Amino acid sequence: MSSLYEQLGGEAAVDAAVDIFYRKVLADDRISHYFDTVDMDEQAVKQKAFLTMVFGGPHNYTGKDMREGHKHLKGLNDTHFDAVLENLAATLTELGVGTDKIEQIAAIGNSVRDDVLNR
Amino acid sequence: MATVQFEDSMVSVASGSNLLEALLHAGHDIPNACRAGACQSCMMQVLDGELPAAAQQGLKATQKAQGYFLACCCEPQTHLKVQRNPASQSVCAVVVDKQLLPGRVLRLRLSSELDYRSGQFVNLVREDGLSRAYSLASVPELEPELEVQIRIHDDGQFSQWALNDLAVGDSLKVQGAFGDCFYTSENMQQPLLLAGTGTGLSPLYGIVRDALRLGHDGPIHLFAGARVADDLYLDKELKSLASAYRNFTYTPVVLEAEIQPDGIEVGDINQIMKAHYPDTKGMRAYFCGSPERVQKLRKQTFLAGASMQDIHCDQFTPSSQAVAA
Ligand SMILES: Cc1cc2nc3c(=O)[nH]c(=O)nc-3n(C[C@H](O)[C@H](O)[C@H](O)COP(=O)(O)OP(=O)(O)OC[C@H]3O[C@@H](n4cnc5c(N)ncnc54)[C@H](O)[C@@H]3O)c2cc1C
Ligand code: HEM
Ligand code: FES
């Protein structure tokens, strides 16, 4: 059986999701300040890395990388984390992804919660 | 300190310095303008060795994958082997025309053999090496000369020199052409939205004419901003384009006006554009000019629905060689 990432449509699915997800995140007052940098292209590349990872795609990030990569984000807590997952689920729904797959993706996200929140 | 192999020579890069400085110091002629990671004209390609992450900050994934990096942001930690950006050219150009336009804008026409797309930018290099990036308003298929439009800054090293000392018949070095802010004809029906203030208009003027020349079919709308009406330096040209092409609309916008001028909108260009286009889904956009302005236009257009890949920008980042005001 093919991987979740392949079932979703691989890199093309990630590309389709980046725009929608990034727009939602920028419009979400709870978390937009974390993503509102001057260099939108650079930020889009990171969104792509994030989506590839939660889609179960190929990546080289470890839990330690997730810890290092987010620890400079001041005051990051569960509320922010849940907001990201919420925007992710809304993005996937918009793209017509079924609820069973959305749950699998949320589970991948949740598996790094403690690393991302550095605890 | 690390050593870098370039062509047949070795240079060493002291800590706290960068590869661009080291190569220039050793007498190599490397294109550069901002020395701050913004203009990407110092782009080079790595052949061997490990790049520091900062050297590739802001590059597209495809560029990173090919080993492209910015020399001005590269402080190597280990030995590298690098080469010039194979796409960059360096040619000699002669000033054939020089004109002062309204709004303190200097128009230069240069004869040269450069290959470029309208809307890309070049570095103009003075004999002593002082170098600045300028966008191309000319369209190679429509006119033989390169055209740049230079805003005169009161204490601008390059712009003051160009205004006062550079004469018709003088030659300059031109490096380029850089950037991906230009028209492509893969979707001729797509609505195009363009906006810029000050000399940000220069590349947009080129892009619009390029699109029209190629027979772009969808609507094209250009918003041109200036402080006051007298500073709308391409007003005549754009009005005549708008009357010649049914799918091209030109909206001049000024910040200040005592009485409402005819055919000109008054206010903030971002707000005015938003009022015209509350929904930008499916549109392609081009924004040029000051970094703050361009970043705001980009964000607002993205949030209103346009895809990131459809938003092309050139930010006129001041050079880090500028003497602070
Ligand atoms: C990709 C790119 C394309 C560009 N295209 C154009 C173009 O088509 N036309 C054009 O006129 N310029 C363009 N620029 C800007 C140009 O490269 C120079 O930065 C500008 O002309 C000033 O150079 P200068 O030597 O005259 O002034 P400098 O000696 O570099 O600076 C003098 C003083 O002016 C201030 N200053 C410099 N630039 C600005 C600014 N934009 N706004 C406010 N203050 C400033 C500096 O802080 C300094 O105090 C572009 C820049 C980039 C990166
Ligand atoms: C679901 C769990 C999450 C995963 C799997 C994840 C994954 C990633 C990845 C892979 C990157 C790119 C790192 C890089 O290559 O530089 C990244 C960057 C980033 N993440 Fe997350 N992330 C998660 C949650 C969050 C949350 C909750 C926030 C804040 C609300 C957040 C904010 C950011 C920011 C701002 C960056 C860019 C950091 C920078 O520019 O330095 N992430 N994330
Ligand atoms: S990016 Fe290096 S000189 Fe501009």
Side-chain angles (χ1 to χ4, degrees):
Chain A
M1 169 151 156
S2 61
S3 72
L4 175 64
Y5 179 70
E6 285 162 19
Q7 290 170 41
L8 287 164
E11 196 180 346
V14 172
D15 284 337
V18 166
D19 259 0
I20 304 175
F21 178 69
Y22 188 15
R23 193 173 292 120
K24 285 190 192 304
V25 161
L26 274 181
D28 186 337
D29 292 339
R30 294 172 296 178
I31 49 175
S32 62
H33 56 286
Y34 289 118
F35 298 92
D36 200 0
T37 67
V38 290
D39 195 341
M40 286 180 73
D41 291 322
E42 180 80 26
Q43 194 53 243
V45 169
K46 291 189 175 163
Q47 309 276 337
K48 197 169 165 176
F50 161 76
L51 289 164
T52 305
M53 193 172 162
V54 292
F55 283 13
H59 70 85
N60 296 314
Y61 294 108
T62 61
K64 183 159 166 283
D65 294 332
M66 285 297 98
R67 207 169 276 275
E68 291 297 321
H70 294 90
K71 76 176 178 204
H72 64 291
L73 303 175
K74 300 228 159 33
L76 196 64
N77 63 35
D78 282 304
T79 315
H80 303 124
F81 197 94
D82 292 338
V84 163
L85 290 188
E86 210 180 281
N87 285 303
L88 179 62
T91 301
L92 295 165
T93 307
E94 210 170 306
L95 288 168
V97 176
T99 38
D100 57 323
K101 290 205 180 66
I102 295 181
E103 272 165 29
Q104 290 180 55
I105 292 165
I108 297 177
N110 269 315
S111 71
V112 295
R113 185 183 284 258
D114 286 348
D115 291 317
V116 167
L117 299 180
N118 195 24
R119 61 190 182 199
Chain B
M1 193 177 91
T3 57
V4 176
Q5 186 184 341
F6 172 70
E7 292 175 347
D8 292 327
S9 64
M10 268 312 180
V11 298
S12 48
V13 185
S15 68
S17 179
N18 60 63
L19 179 58
L20 178 66
E21 274 180 18
L23 288 170
L24 293 174
H25 188 73
H28 296 288
D29 180 17
I30 308 291
N32 69 89
C34 72
R35 304 198 188 180
C39 74
Q40 305 199 347
S41 54
C42 66
M43 189 133 67
M44 301 183 80
Q45 200 173 18
V46 70
L47 299 172
D48 198 23
E50 186 102 12
L51 287 171
Q56 292 187 308
Q57 192 90 20
L59 297 188
K60 297 202 161 62
T62 48
Q63 294 172 320
K64 289 185 185 176
Q66 295 171 78
Y68 285 109
F69 69 97
L70 303 177
C72 71
C73 299
C74 178
E75 187 186 333
Q77 302 304 311
T78 55
H79 177 74
L80 296 177
K81 186 174 170 197
V82 303
Q83 70 174 18
R84 282 176 197 281
N85 179 354
S88 124
Q89 318 156 54
S90 180
V91 300
C92 177
V94 178
V95 181
V96 293
D97 185 38
K98 178 176 163 179
Q99 249 179 299
L100 195 58
L101 305 179
R104 310 221 356 112
V105 175
L106 182 70
R107 169 192 274 158
L108 292 181
R109 291 208 168 90
L110 309 162
S111 76
S112 95
E113 299 286 307
L114 189 83
D115 284 325
Y116 70 97
R117 297 296 311 266
S118 190
Q120 285 191 296
F121 64 92
V122 291
N123 294 330
L124 298 186
V125 188
R126 194 168 75 181
E127 205 162 47
D128 65 355
L130 183 78
S131 153
R132 292 289 184 269
Y134 294 103
S135 305
L136 296 166
S138 45
V139 181
E141 291 80 2
L142 297 179
E143 50 241 344
E145 289 103 17
L146 303 181
E147 175 175 337
V148 294
Q149 297 165 359
I150 301 177
R151 175 51 158 281
I152 307 299
H153 293 281
D154 285 342
D155 46 2
Q157 296 163 81
F158 196 96
S159 55
Q160 287 292 338
W161 169 76
L163 176 69
N164 298 314
D165 302 316
L166 184 66
V168 170
D170 287 355
S171 59
L172 270 175
K173 192 160 69 182
V174 175
Q175 297 165 334
F178 307 111
D180 50 17
C181 191
F182 52 79
Y183 179 75
T184 51
S185 52
E186 78 275 353
N187 184 353
M188 312 275 278
Q189 264 73 49
Q190 195 170 24
L192 306 186
L193 183 59
L194 306 96
T197 53
T199 43
L201 205 52
S202 165
L204 300 177
Y205 181 56
I207 292 166
V208 165
R209 290 186 305 137
D210 202 23
L212 291 170
R213 168 189 78 85
L214 287 162
H216 187 83
D217 232 20
I220 304 176
H221 196 156
L222 170 67
F223 292 84
R227 201 173 50 78
V228 294
D230 287 345
D231 289 355
L232 290 164
Y233 69 96
L234 292 177
D235 201 50
K236 224 175 54 225
E237 288 87 340
L238 289 165
K239 277 190 178 133
S240 70
L241 264 190
S243 50
Y245 291 89
R246 51 150 191 89
N247 62 332
F248 174 59
T249 312
Y250 160 58
T251 303
V253 178
V254 299
L255 260 184
E256 304 163 14
E258 279 170 17
I259 42 160
Q260 172 76 42
D262 218 20
I264 300 181
E265 300 202 26
V266 182
D268 175 68
I269 191 169
N270 294 48
Q271 297 305 323
I272 287 170
M273 200 186 79
K274 203 190 234 160
H276 280 264
Y277 296 100
D279 181 357
T280 55
K281 197 167 166 56
M283 298 183 86
R284 196 196 308 176
Y286 295 91
F287 302 131
C288 304
S290 81
E292 307 73 44
R293 174 70 63 192
V294 166
Q295 281 154 19
K296 275 196 205 139
L297 285 168
R298 167 153 68 177
K299 183 172 165 193
Q300 130 187 0
T301 305
F302 173 66
L303 287 176
S307 165
M308 274 290 279
Q309 276 137 337
D310 282 331
I311 308 179
H312 308 271
C313 296
D314 252 344
Q315 306 185 20
F316 291 4
T317 313
S319 168
S320 73
Q321 308 297 101
V323 185

